[in-house]
Amino acid sequence: MTDAEKTKQLRKEVAAYAKAERNKSILQIINTIIPLLMLWVAGYYLVPISPWLTVACSVLSSAFLVRTFIIFHDCTHGSFFKNKKANDIIGNITGILTSFPYMKWRREHLIHHASSGNLDKRGIGDIDMLTVDEYLAKSKWGRLAYRLYRNPIVMFGLGPLYLVLVLNRFNVKDAKKKERLNTYFINIMVLLLCATIIFFLGWQSFLLVHGITLFVAGSMGIWLFYIQHTYEESYFEYDPEWDYVKAAVEGSSYYKLPKVLQWVTGNIGYHHVHHLAPRVPNYKLEEAHEAIPPLQKATTITLKTSLESVRYKLYDSKQKKFVSFKEVEKSIQVKNKSIHV
């Protein structure tokens, strides 16, 4: 078969798994959202008994919040239920629980899917990334700002705070009325939830339970989003050469996690499958990966090897790979020496 025929065949095989099953979806709601709520209640109950036990409950609840976000994520793709209204209802409920505006995030995330790996269409739904040439063209302060942004402490430490308190709270200028109203609705519901808890239980308890839960879950979420597209030979091309299937299979990793973490993260480690066919519900991603041999050729990253990706800061469009600041600086020094010689 030609490459075009292989691509068509691959997408056809994956599409067979793009069918939501109501019972599995309902079971996932039961084993995810109910434990999350129970852990929150337990956390608040334990505050006067032992703050440390409360913190333990909060850290554990962050795992269920990540899983709740995966349900939210599937709803934005219309893949969690066959019925659009059911997806919208559960999407908004999980949006309130996770503090994410449903319609705003859905639009931005669909743009991410349509342009992932396209160097000419960055900026919406992505973690900001510069090429080596773009970085070198920036001023001293521009480089410093980018270095700070890509610093792990900033990205995974301050990132969750910025995401929850700022980015998720405001509409973009070109947002349509329905999207704006939905963001206002989510904001009001989140505010009412937080205000009620603080009024009855105090801000200290709120920070110990909801604050820690959102922060830890946010850090985990940003890490997952980062590692799924940032590894040494990830796929990036300029628009004329960009290909959707290559971006999905070569530009999205297979993050092979221990079974417990795979469950917590709702199989999102099979990110190459998800990008190829976003309508496949999270509980069928592994099945599709195991059944379709070409998908098993995707770049595999383990928990251990994923830590190496922290050093990848810039994309070298000439070498077609990610590089570190140190590598770029070294190449500049070598180039300067050769010029002087």
Side-chain angles (χ1 to χ4, degrees), residues 135 142-152 154 313 325-326 329:
Y135 174 74
R143 293 185 192 183
L144 177 61
Y146 182 73
R147 278 177 171 272
L148 288 173
Y149 171 78
R150 299 289 292 201
N151 185 288
V154 174
K313 312 293 185 180
F325 288 131
K326 192 173 182 179
E329 289 167 358

PDB file of all heavy atoms in Angstrom, residues 135 142-152 154 313 325-326 329:
ATOM      1  N   TYR A 135      14.359  31.783  19.489  1.00  0.00           N
ATOM      2  CA  TYR A 135      14.966  32.121  20.780  1.00  0.00           C
ATOM      3  C   TYR A 135      16.170  33.047  20.583  1.00  0.00           C
ATOM      4  O   TYR A 135      16.319  34.055  21.274  1.00  0.00           O
ATOM      5  CB  TYR A 135      15.392  30.842  21.491  1.00  0.00           C
ATOM      6  CG  TYR A 135      16.171  31.065  22.770  1.00  0.00           C
ATOM      7  CD1 TYR A 135      15.528  31.496  23.938  1.00  0.00           C
ATOM      8  CD2 TYR A 135      17.552  30.842  22.814  1.00  0.00           C
ATOM      9  CE1 TYR A 135      16.241  31.692  25.108  1.00  0.00           C
ATOM     10  CE2 TYR A 135      18.266  31.027  23.985  1.00  0.00           C
ATOM     11  CZ  TYR A 135      17.612  31.462  25.128  1.00  0.00           C
ATOM     12  OH  TYR A 135      18.311  31.664  26.286  1.00  0.00           O
ATOM     13  N   GLY A 142      13.842  39.072  26.508  1.00  0.00           N
ATOM     14  CA  GLY A 142      12.928  38.089  25.928  1.00  0.00           C
ATOM     15  C   GLY A 142      13.384  36.666  26.202  1.00  0.00           C
ATOM     16  O   GLY A 142      12.587  35.784  26.515  1.00  0.00           O
ATOM     17  N   ARG A 143      14.703  36.457  26.106  1.00  0.00           N
ATOM     18  CA  ARG A 143      15.269  35.135  26.407  1.00  0.00           C
ATOM     19  C   ARG A 143      15.100  34.803  27.887  1.00  0.00           C
ATOM     20  O   ARG A 143      14.775  33.664  28.245  1.00  0.00           O
ATOM     21  CB  ARG A 143      16.757  35.098  26.040  1.00  0.00           C
ATOM     22  CG  ARG A 143      17.042  35.196  24.564  1.00  0.00           C
ATOM     23  CD  ARG A 143      18.535  35.034  24.302  1.00  0.00           C
ATOM     24  NE  ARG A 143      18.896  35.400  22.947  1.00  0.00           N
ATOM     25  CZ  ARG A 143      20.111  35.304  22.443  1.00  0.00           C
ATOM     26  NH1 ARG A 143      21.100  34.838  23.217  1.00  0.00           N
ATOM     27  NH2 ARG A 143      20.371  35.653  21.198  1.00  0.00           N
ATOM     28  N   LEU A 144      15.327  35.807  28.728  1.00  0.00           N
ATOM     29  CA  LEU A 144      15.188  35.591  30.176  1.00  0.00           C
ATOM     30  C   LEU A 144      13.750  35.213  30.527  1.00  0.00           C
ATOM     31  O   LEU A 144      13.521  34.297  31.327  1.00  0.00           O
ATOM     32  CB  LEU A 144      15.601  36.847  30.942  1.00  0.00           C
ATOM     33  CG  LEU A 144      15.443  36.786  32.478  1.00  0.00           C
ATOM     34  CD1 LEU A 144      16.307  35.663  33.054  1.00  0.00           C
ATOM     35  CD2 LEU A 144      15.797  38.124  33.110  1.00  0.00           C
ATOM     36  N   ALA A 145      12.780  35.912  29.919  1.00  0.00           N
ATOM     37  CA  ALA A 145      11.366  35.620  30.188  1.00  0.00           C
ATOM     38  C   ALA A 145      11.018  34.188  29.778  1.00  0.00           C
ATOM     39  O   ALA A 145      10.311  33.477  30.500  1.00  0.00           O
ATOM     40  CB  ALA A 145      10.476  36.612  29.436  1.00  0.00           C
ATOM     41  N   TYR A 146      11.543  33.763  28.629  1.00  0.00           N
ATOM     42  CA  TYR A 146      11.267  32.399  28.168  1.00  0.00           C
ATOM     43  C   TYR A 146      11.944  31.365  29.068  1.00  0.00           C
ATOM     44  O   TYR A 146      11.363  30.319  29.358  1.00  0.00           O
ATOM     45  CB  TYR A 146      11.748  32.230  26.722  1.00  0.00           C
ATOM     46  CG  TYR A 146      11.451  30.866  26.141  1.00  0.00           C
ATOM     47  CD1 TYR A 146      10.146  30.512  25.796  1.00  0.00           C
ATOM     48  CD2 TYR A 146      12.460  29.924  25.952  1.00  0.00           C
ATOM     49  CE1 TYR A 146       9.855  29.258  25.269  1.00  0.00           C
ATOM     50  CE2 TYR A 146      12.191  28.675  25.424  1.00  0.00           C
ATOM     51  CZ  TYR A 146      10.889  28.340  25.086  1.00  0.00           C
ATOM     52  OH  TYR A 146      10.604  27.093  24.572  1.00  0.00           O
ATOM     53  N   ARG A 147      13.155  31.675  29.519  1.00  0.00           N
ATOM     54  CA  ARG A 147      13.864  30.779  30.428  1.00  0.00           C
ATOM     55  C   ARG A 147      13.079  30.601  31.730  1.00  0.00           C
ATOM     56  O   ARG A 147      12.977  29.487  32.265  1.00  0.00           O
ATOM     57  CB  ARG A 147      15.263  31.323  30.738  1.00  0.00           C
ATOM     58  CG  ARG A 147      16.302  31.006  29.681  1.00  0.00           C
ATOM     59  CD  ARG A 147      17.636  31.641  30.032  1.00  0.00           C
ATOM     60  NE  ARG A 147      18.701  31.186  29.163  1.00  0.00           N
ATOM     61  CZ  ARG A 147      19.447  30.113  29.364  1.00  0.00           C
ATOM     62  NH1 ARG A 147      19.248  29.352  30.432  1.00  0.00           N
ATOM     63  NH2 ARG A 147      20.405  29.769  28.523  1.00  0.00           N
ATOM     64  N   LEU A 148      12.544  31.693  32.226  1.00  0.00           N
ATOM     65  CA  LEU A 148      11.757  31.631  33.464  1.00  0.00           C
ATOM     66  C   LEU A 148      10.494  30.804  33.248  1.00  0.00           C
ATOM     67  O   LEU A 148      10.116  29.984  34.084  1.00  0.00           O
ATOM     68  CB  LEU A 148      11.401  33.031  33.941  1.00  0.00           C
ATOM     69  CG  LEU A 148      12.550  33.869  34.525  1.00  0.00           C
ATOM     70  CD1 LEU A 148      12.081  35.297  34.789  1.00  0.00           C
ATOM     71  CD2 LEU A 148      13.068  33.240  35.816  1.00  0.00           C
ATOM     72  N   TYR A 149       9.843  31.036  32.120  1.00  0.00           N
ATOM     73  CA  TYR A 149       8.608  30.313  31.802  1.00  0.00           C
ATOM     74  C   TYR A 149       8.848  28.806  31.739  1.00  0.00           C
ATOM     75  O   TYR A 149       8.038  28.018  32.222  1.00  0.00           O
ATOM     76  CB  TYR A 149       8.057  30.814  30.461  1.00  0.00           C
ATOM     77  CG  TYR A 149       6.912  29.988  29.919  1.00  0.00           C
ATOM     78  CD1 TYR A 149       5.618  30.133  30.428  1.00  0.00           C
ATOM     79  CD2 TYR A 149       7.120  29.060  28.902  1.00  0.00           C
ATOM     80  CE1 TYR A 149       4.567  29.375  29.940  1.00  0.00           C
ATOM     81  CE2 TYR A 149       6.074  28.297  28.402  1.00  0.00           C
ATOM     82  CZ  TYR A 149       4.803  28.457  28.925  1.00  0.00           C
ATOM     83  OH  TYR A 149       3.767  27.696  28.434  1.00  0.00           O
ATOM     84  N   ARG A 150       9.985  28.411  31.145  1.00  0.00           N
ATOM     85  CA  ARG A 150      10.278  26.986  30.976  1.00  0.00           C
ATOM     86  C   ARG A 150      10.974  26.363  32.189  1.00  0.00           C
ATOM     87  O   ARG A 150      11.264  25.169  32.189  1.00  0.00           O
ATOM     88  CB  ARG A 150      11.159  26.772  29.740  1.00  0.00           C
ATOM     89  CG  ARG A 150      10.529  27.210  28.431  1.00  0.00           C
ATOM     90  CD  ARG A 150       9.413  26.326  27.965  1.00  0.00           C
ATOM     91  NE  ARG A 150       9.844  25.003  27.567  1.00  0.00           N
ATOM     92  CZ  ARG A 150       9.150  24.198  26.763  1.00  0.00           C
ATOM     93  NH1 ARG A 150       7.988  24.581  26.281  1.00  0.00           N
ATOM     94  NH2 ARG A 150       9.600  23.001  26.466  1.00  0.00           N
ATOM     95  N   ASN A 151      11.225  27.173  33.217  1.00  0.00           N
ATOM     96  CA  ASN A 151      11.826  26.639  34.435  1.00  0.00           C
ATOM     97  C   ASN A 151      10.822  25.709  35.128  1.00  0.00           C
ATOM     98  O   ASN A 151       9.657  26.083  35.306  1.00  0.00           O
ATOM     99  CB  ASN A 151      12.212  27.783  35.373  1.00  0.00           C
ATOM    100  CG  ASN A 151      12.946  27.301  36.607  1.00  0.00           C
ATOM    101  OD1 ASN A 151      12.358  26.699  37.495  1.00  0.00           O
ATOM    102  ND2 ASN A 151      14.230  27.565  36.665  1.00  0.00           N
ATOM    103  N   PRO A 152      11.223  24.502  35.527  1.00  0.00           N
ATOM    104  CA  PRO A 152      10.296  23.543  36.150  1.00  0.00           C
ATOM    105  C   PRO A 152       9.563  24.098  37.379  1.00  0.00           C
ATOM    106  O   PRO A 152       8.395  23.786  37.594  1.00  0.00           O
ATOM    107  CB  PRO A 152      11.205  22.366  36.530  1.00  0.00           C
ATOM    108  CG  PRO A 152      12.346  22.451  35.578  1.00  0.00           C
ATOM    109  CD  PRO A 152      12.567  23.919  35.347  1.00  0.00           C
ATOM    110  N   VAL A 154       8.687  27.190  37.895  1.00  0.00           N
ATOM    111  CA  VAL A 154       7.645  28.099  37.413  1.00  0.00           C
ATOM    112  C   VAL A 154       6.529  27.314  36.725  1.00  0.00           C
ATOM    113  O   VAL A 154       5.347  27.491  37.020  1.00  0.00           O
ATOM    114  CB  VAL A 154       8.233  29.148  36.447  1.00  0.00           C
ATOM    115  CG1 VAL A 154       7.115  30.001  35.840  1.00  0.00           C
ATOM    116  CG2 VAL A 154       9.238  30.038  37.175  1.00  0.00           C
ATOM    117  N   LYS A 313      14.094  22.394  26.088  1.00  0.00           N
ATOM    118  CA  LYS A 313      13.492  23.730  26.173  1.00  0.00           C
ATOM    119  C   LYS A 313      13.181  24.358  24.819  1.00  0.00           C
ATOM    120  O   LYS A 313      12.292  25.183  24.697  1.00  0.00           O
ATOM    121  CB  LYS A 313      14.429  24.676  26.932  1.00  0.00           C
ATOM    122  CG  LYS A 313      14.972  24.132  28.250  1.00  0.00           C
ATOM    123  CD  LYS A 313      13.897  23.960  29.291  1.00  0.00           C
ATOM    124  CE  LYS A 313      14.491  23.529  30.632  1.00  0.00           C
ATOM    125  NZ  LYS A 313      13.468  23.351  31.666  1.00  0.00           N
ATOM    126  N   PHE A 325      18.922  24.453  26.677  1.00  0.00           N
ATOM    127  CA  PHE A 325      19.581  25.753  26.612  1.00  0.00           C
ATOM    128  C   PHE A 325      21.099  25.567  26.565  1.00  0.00           C
ATOM    129  O   PHE A 325      21.804  26.275  25.850  1.00  0.00           O
ATOM    130  CB  PHE A 325      19.210  26.599  27.830  1.00  0.00           C
ATOM    131  CG  PHE A 325      17.798  27.101  27.820  1.00  0.00           C
ATOM    132  CD1 PHE A 325      16.985  26.947  28.935  1.00  0.00           C
ATOM    133  CD2 PHE A 325      17.276  27.742  26.702  1.00  0.00           C
ATOM    134  CE1 PHE A 325      15.683  27.425  28.930  1.00  0.00           C
ATOM    135  CE2 PHE A 325      15.977  28.220  26.684  1.00  0.00           C
ATOM    136  CZ  PHE A 325      15.173  28.066  27.803  1.00  0.00           C
ATOM    137  N   LYS A 326      21.580  24.598  27.332  1.00  0.00           N
ATOM    138  CA  LYS A 326      23.014  24.350  27.408  1.00  0.00           C
ATOM    139  C   LYS A 326      23.578  23.944  26.050  1.00  0.00           C
ATOM    140  O   LYS A 326      24.665  24.397  25.654  1.00  0.00           O
ATOM    141  CB  LYS A 326      23.289  23.250  28.437  1.00  0.00           C
ATOM    142  CG  LYS A 326      24.743  23.100  28.823  1.00  0.00           C
ATOM    143  CD  LYS A 326      24.898  22.104  29.966  1.00  0.00           C
ATOM    144  CE  LYS A 326      26.360  21.973  30.396  1.00  0.00           C
ATOM    145  NZ  LYS A 326      26.511  21.013  31.517  1.00  0.00           N
ATOM    146  N   GLU A 329      23.731  27.080  23.818  1.00  0.00           N
ATOM    147  CA  GLU A 329      24.832  27.954  24.221  1.00  0.00           C
ATOM    148  C   GLU A 329      26.181  27.379  23.772  1.00  0.00           C
ATOM    149  O   GLU A 329      27.066  28.116  23.331  1.00  0.00           O
ATOM    150  CB  GLU A 329      24.808  28.144  25.738  1.00  0.00           C
ATOM    151  CG  GLU A 329      23.656  29.013  26.214  1.00  0.00           C
ATOM    152  CD  GLU A 329      23.454  28.947  27.717  1.00  0.00           C
ATOM    153  OE1 GLU A 329      24.196  28.190  28.380  1.00  0.00           O
ATOM    154  OE2 GLU A 329      22.554  29.633  28.218  1.00  0.00           O
TER     155      GLU A 329
END
